Amino acid sequence: DVERSRGLGDVYKRQGYYTTCLCTVRPDQGGMSGKEKIGIGDWVIIDGAKRDRLVWSGDLHIANRVVYNTSGDYALARNSLQTLADGQFKTGEYPACSIADIGENAADDFMEYTIWQVINSWDYYLYSGDKAFLVRNYAGIKKALNWLDQHTDTNGVIRQNPFKGGMNYSYTLWRFGAVSYMNALYYLGLKAGAKIALAMDDPGEAQIYLARAERIKHWFNAYFWDKKLSCYRDTKRDRSHHPLDGNVFAILSGLADEAKAGAVLSFIDANLRLAWGDRQVDRAFRFPHKVPILSGHNYKNVMPFINAFDVLARYKLGEDDSALNLIRRCWGYMVKNDPNFTTWEWIGKKAEPDFAFTSLAHPWSAGATFILTEYILGIRPLEPGYARYLIEPHPSDLSWAKGAVPTPNGL
């Protein structure tokens, strides 16, 4: 097969890198027309080669890490992040995407993406060592984290408004109230905010964020843990749905202790596993009116975006073989079934892209590319700009691995 003839790394790294390159454009080539001004600098990364063609912060979490581990083009990552930072609303919310074309109406619909912007800002500094970026944006980051705090309940648990701001990356799922995925992500965002504050010599602000994170840690399991199924529910009120995202982010954030994390992984393998990846949720959501794009969309669809975090959760638990198996199932499936060698926005319930508008070149699905470097090859930064770094390979059944990692100081 392709992997055996060309090598695992050659296949999956090139697949994600090629997709990200296809979605790197001049800032005046965005929008559905390809002629909208959507960013700053020389080049930015957009969500897909067709449809939106905007800079989206959630997508950048994967796309920028692909860049950090391949070309090392920190200016490209910085331009994309600064585009969104410069568009910050007066409230403190960051725009989810470029405020242009369809983004003019969608940019303030995603509370989640303000959290991603904070996390991505820390990641950029960790990989690049570019402290000037933090200096320029620190006031905005503090404003964003305070805006998020205004959307928490009396226990410090973040809540989504069912109307404005109630959308998530999986935009056909209307979630509201206390959502497990959002709170695990918010916890990670607060941790990232604390690291940024410490980097800015502001320990008092860091302590504020850590205290907020501690409140989430205290309440997370009481809100979301399903004792009967030994996994996390989608929302505090919804006892019928158990999503992939909320469960893998509970592991990645450390909100799930060792026993719960192991149980969660068992639940995923028993209830969400498909031949082409792990699906979004254990049962379909029912909508009052039959709308093809909504009905059951999140039931059997596989989102490579979230499958990347699924892989990372498995590595965190030391489940190296199952992590590599998921890479082969999800990204291997796209390699074998796409002659253009790109990563899809999602894999539909019939194991193929299921709508005419589905993007077949979507960098948010390119996670395997950076994971191969950071976990199979095993090289990732521990301090900003690779001042300290870890070399810890996870080869599983591979007999060898080799590679080079770009850093601010060279390969």
Side-chain angles (χ1 to χ4, degrees):
D1 59 22
V2 177
E3 182 184 315
R4 291 186 181 279
S5 64
R6 296 177 56 181
L8 180 141
D10 184 62
V11 174
Y12 302 134
K13 281 189 70 68
R14 289 177 185 271
Q15 177 194 36
Y17 178 59
Y18 175 53
T19 300
T20 304
C21 288
L22 286 176
C23 297
T24 299
V25 302
R26 295 286 189 184
D28 59 355
Q29 295 177 336
M32 298 181 75
S33 68
K35 299 177 181 179
E36 298 282 345
K37 176 72 172 178
I38 60 162
I40 65 169
D42 295 327
W43 300 92
V44 292
I45 304 174
I46 55 176
D47 63 313
K50 72 172 186 178
R51 208 179 67 232
D52 303 9
R53 292 180 59 84
L54 302 173
V55 180
W56 284 86
S57 59
D59 306 51
L60 284 181
H61 183 73
I62 298 291
N64 278 357
R65 288 179 76 174
V66 171
V67 169
Y68 303 147
N69 283 282
T70 53
S71 65
D73 188 347
Y74 298 112
L76 170 61
R78 183 182 64 247
N79 290 342
S80 303
L81 288 171
Q82 196 63 53
T83 290
L84 301 175
D86 288 350
Q88 188 173 28
F89 300 113
K90 292 182 179 179
T91 59
E93 179 186 12
Y94 281 119
C97 60
S98 308
I99 307 175
D101 203 21
I102 65 171
E104 291 183 354
N105 294 319
D108 63 345
D109 278 344
F110 297 74
M111 179 191 295
E112 167 200 358
Y113 278 34
T114 290
I115 305 173
W116 276 124
Q117 178 73 6
V118 174
I119 293 171
N120 294 345
S121 296
W122 168 254
D123 279 356
Y124 171 74
Y125 177 54
L126 177 63
Y127 286 87
S128 70
D130 179 8
K131 191 171 181 179
F133 175 83
L134 291 188
V135 172
R136 178 176 178 179
N137 292 290
Y138 184 48
I141 290 168
K142 289 190 291 183
K143 191 175 181 180
L145 287 168
N146 286 332
W147 176 79
L148 289 166
D149 184 57
Q150 294 168 21
H151 292 81
T152 61
D153 64 16
T154 55
N155 294 321
V157 172
I158 200 164
R159 297 176 60 85
Q160 287 189 179
N161 186 300
F163 298 102
K164 210 61 178 172
M167 301 295 280
N168 287 125
Y169 69 91
S170 186
Y171 55 86
T172 58
L173 178 54
W174 194 47
R175 292 163 150 172
F176 55 91
V179 179
S180 58
Y181 162 69
M182 275 291 291
N183 276 278
L185 185 67
Y186 181 42
Y187 181 83
L188 290 170
L190 288 167
K191 291 283 192 175
K195 292 175 184 176
I196 291 170
L198 290 173
M200 294 298 297
D201 298 318
D202 193 353
E205 197 73 12
Q207 196 56 47
I208 291 172
Y209 303 146
L210 292 174
R212 291 175 187 171
E214 194 61 31
R215 295 186 74 195
I216 295 174
K217 185 176 182 179
H218 178 78
W219 287 104
F220 188 82
N221 288 287
Y223 273 53
F224 304 115
W225 183 249
D226 187 325
K227 294 180 181 179
K228 183 177 180 180
L229 295 180
S230 294
C231 62
Y232 291 96
R233 296 189 295 267
D234 190 43
T235 73
K236 182 183 179 183
R237 295 193 175 196
D238 182 356
R239 298 180 179 273
S240 300
H241 298 95
H242 305 84
L244 181 63
D245 57 12
N247 279 281
V248 297
F249 271 83
I251 295 173
L252 286 172
S253 63
L255 292 169
D257 61 25
E258 185 176 353
K260 283 184 170 64
V264 162
L265 204 55
S266 295
F267 172 84
I268 292 171
D269 288 340
N271 296 278
L272 305 183
R273 181 185 175 110
L274 296 173
W276 51 92
D278 289 344
R279 67 187 183 188
Q280 283 290 87
V281 70
D282 58 343
R283 64 179 65 190
F285 284 82
R286 302 300 179 188
F287 295 87
H289 302 288
K290 186 172 178 58
V291 182
I293 189 176
L294 296 178
S295 297
H297 172 77
N298 289 283
Y299 179 44
K300 289 193 175 179
N301 273 30
V302 167
M303 293 278 188
F305 175 60
I306 296 300
N307 272 239
F309 300 108
D310 189 350
V311 172
L312 293 174
R314 292 169 189 272
Y315 277 123
K316 180 181 175 72
L317 295 181
E319 297 291 338
D320 295 5
D321 292 347
S322 71
L324 182 54
N325 173 274
L326 180 52
I327 291 173
R328 286 171 167 150
R329 275 191 288 131
C330 184
W331 287 269
Y333 184 87
M334 289 185 283
V335 164
K336 293 174 183 176
N337 290 277
D338 188 337
N340 295 312
F341 209 59
T342 52
T343 56
W344 308 343
E345 186 174 7
W346 64 67
I347 305 172
K349 61 184 179 181
K350 295 182 180 179
E352 59 187 22
D354 49 3
F355 298 107
F357 63 78
T358 304
S359 169
L360 300 183
H362 225 66
W364 83 347
S365 297
T369 297
F370 80 79
I371 291 171
L372 288 174
T373 295
E374 295 192 12
Y375 287 88
I376 290 181
L377 191 61
I379 303 174
R380 52 189 186 274
L382 296 176
E383 293 182 1
Y386 287 85
R388 288 179 61 245
Y389 52 87
L390 177 70
I391 302 178
E392 185 182 66
H394 297 260
S396 292
D397 64 3
L398 301 175
S399 59
W400 61 273
K402 65 178 181 179
V405 178
T407 78
N409 299 310
L411 293 178

